[in-house]
Amino acid sequence: MPNIHSNISFALVNIPVVMNPIIKNNDTAFNQLHKKCLHRVSYVKYCSHCKEPLKEPEIIKGYEYEKDSFLTFDKQELNNLRPENEKEIEIVSFIPLKEIDPSYFEKSYFLQTETKSKAYLLFCEALKKTKQVALAKTVIGSKFYYCILRFSETGIIMTTLFFEEEVNIPNQELNGKLNEKELNLAIQLIDSLKGTFEPEKYKDEYQDNIRKAIDDKLNGKKVKAQKKKPHRQINDLMEALEKSLKKKK
């Protein structure tokens, strides 16, 4: 995805920024091949009614409002519906970050300036001092988003948010009686497993295994199955807690 030029619109202040995706896909890329001849599988856009392949200019978008009945939209009609200030990141309000359930977080971008901007530095410092995040709205590609802008030591990070109708959290309460001894053991087990967040230590074991398998195949070696640790299931909760804590100690 190419870098996106935008502006943070903060009341009457405009701060030019470049939007860079923070996350990159770490997965090993595979191609789909025909098993018989090992040639790539191609995908053709095809009309099942006319029995012919289609070119891009021949394709429009349609909304199915009834079975096999469509309202059609061309590109210009859809462009006419885009928000007025789509090239801006328009700030709506400032809120504490803790008010937002992490379930709403979608994708993050780093917002940087191409030049040394006093307005950018001022905005960063204001977010830091107030311990607030900016709630804003913007358009990325063809999709409208609400997002938050938060301070980090390297600059502003923008995280797009899912809409409420996209987040499916069951509306229910946890009910049931708990045994005090079981709860104390659970808390002790949590305490025994306390640590710190060290992302540099967390490796994608599956992708590492795939890359090793690729190297092995290139060197004429067989791909060996990964050894699985035996997992003992204990159905009695108290026994499971006690043995887990004992094993940890």
Side-chain angles (χ1 to χ4, degrees):
M1 178 180 177
N3 297 340
I4 303 170
H5 291 259
S6 187
N7 287 285
I8 299 173
S9 177
F10 176 29
L12 297 178
V13 179
N14 283 298
I15 308 170
V17 291
V18 180
M19 193 186 304
N20 300 296
I22 289 177
I23 305 301
K24 65 177 182 178
N25 191 332
N26 188 42
D27 293 349
T28 303
F30 285 98
N31 293 294
Q32 290 191 328
L33 308 177
H34 184 191
K35 186 176 181 179
K36 179 180 177 181
C37 64
L38 298 185
H39 280 71
R40 291 188 184 189
V41 177
S42 61
Y43 295 90
V44 178
K45 292 185 178 179
Y46 182 81
C47 177
S48 58
H49 175 75
C50 298
K51 310 296 183 186
E52 61 182 25
L54 300 177
K55 296 179 180 179
E56 196 62 36
E58 298 176 284
I59 300 172
I60 58 175
K61 292 189 176 182
Y63 172 77
E64 188 175 22
Y65 62 94
E66 290 178 358
K67 178 66 175 175
D68 296 328
S69 296
F70 297 90
L71 290 173
T72 61
F73 290 83
D74 60 32
K75 287 184 179 179
Q76 186 56 52
E77 286 177 315
L78 292 173
N79 284 337
N80 291 340
L81 302 177
R82 294 167 78 94
E84 182 181 358
N85 299 320
E86 62 174 297
K87 296 298 182 185
E88 288 188 350
I89 302 167
E90 182 184 346
I91 293 174
V92 177
S93 63
F94 292 87
I95 57 178
L97 180 60
K98 65 182 180 182
E99 287 190 2
I100 307 172
D101 189 310
S103 302
Y104 285 85
F105 297 160
E106 193 210 30
K107 188 174 181 181
S108 292
Y109 301 81
F110 183 70
L111 304 184
Q112 61 185 138
T113 53
E114 292 184 320
T115 58
K116 291 183 179 179
S117 168
K118 184 178 180 181
Y120 181 91
L121 293 173
L122 182 66
F123 186 64
C124 282
E125 192 63 20
L127 289 177
K128 180 181 179 181
K129 293 289 186 184
T130 59
K131 295 182 170 61
Q132 301 281 302
V133 297
L135 178 66
K137 55 186 180 180
T138 191
V139 173
I140 302 174
S142 60
K143 187 169 180 183
F144 175 85
Y145 289 97
Y146 272 85
C147 56
I148 58 166
L149 277 60
R150 60 186 174 88
F151 169 79
S152 76
E153 293 299 332
T154 54
I156 298 171
I157 293 176
M158 183 183 86
T159 302
T160 56
L161 303 174
F162 289 111
F163 289 98
E164 184 180 18
E165 59 266 28
E166 296 177 294
V167 180
N168 185 24
I169 301 175
N171 186 19
Q172 62 185 32
E173 294 183 5
L174 292 173
N175 294 311
K177 291 184 178 180
L178 293 173
N179 180 299
E180 192 69 27
K181 186 176 180 181
E182 291 173 346
L183 179 58
N184 288 334
L185 284 171
I187 292 171
Q188 289 179 51
L189 186 56
I190 289 172
D191 287 340
S192 71
L193 292 167
K194 277 184 178 178
T196 55
F197 183 60
E198 301 174 283
E200 69 278 2
K201 290 186 177 180
Y202 312 140
K203 304 301 179 184
D204 190 331
E205 296 175 19
Y206 179 55
Q207 291 300 318
D208 286 348
N209 292 341
I210 288 177
R211 294 185 189 106
K212 184 180 183 305
I214 289 171
D215 288 339
D216 286 346
K217 274 183 169 278
L218 288 172
N219 290 307
K221 298 178 183 178
K222 287 187 177 181
V223 177
K224 296 180 180 179
Q226 297 297 309
K227 292 182 180 179
K228 307 288 184 182
K229 292 181 180 178
H231 181 70
R232 183 186 171 198
Q233 184 67 41
I234 302 175
N235 294 323
D236 183 86
L237 180 58
M238 181 70 77
E239 183 186 356
L241 287 167
E242 287 174 339
K243 290 192 173 181
S244 296
L245 192 58
K246 185 178 180 181
K247 183 179 179 181
K248 186 62 185 172
K249 287 181 178 179

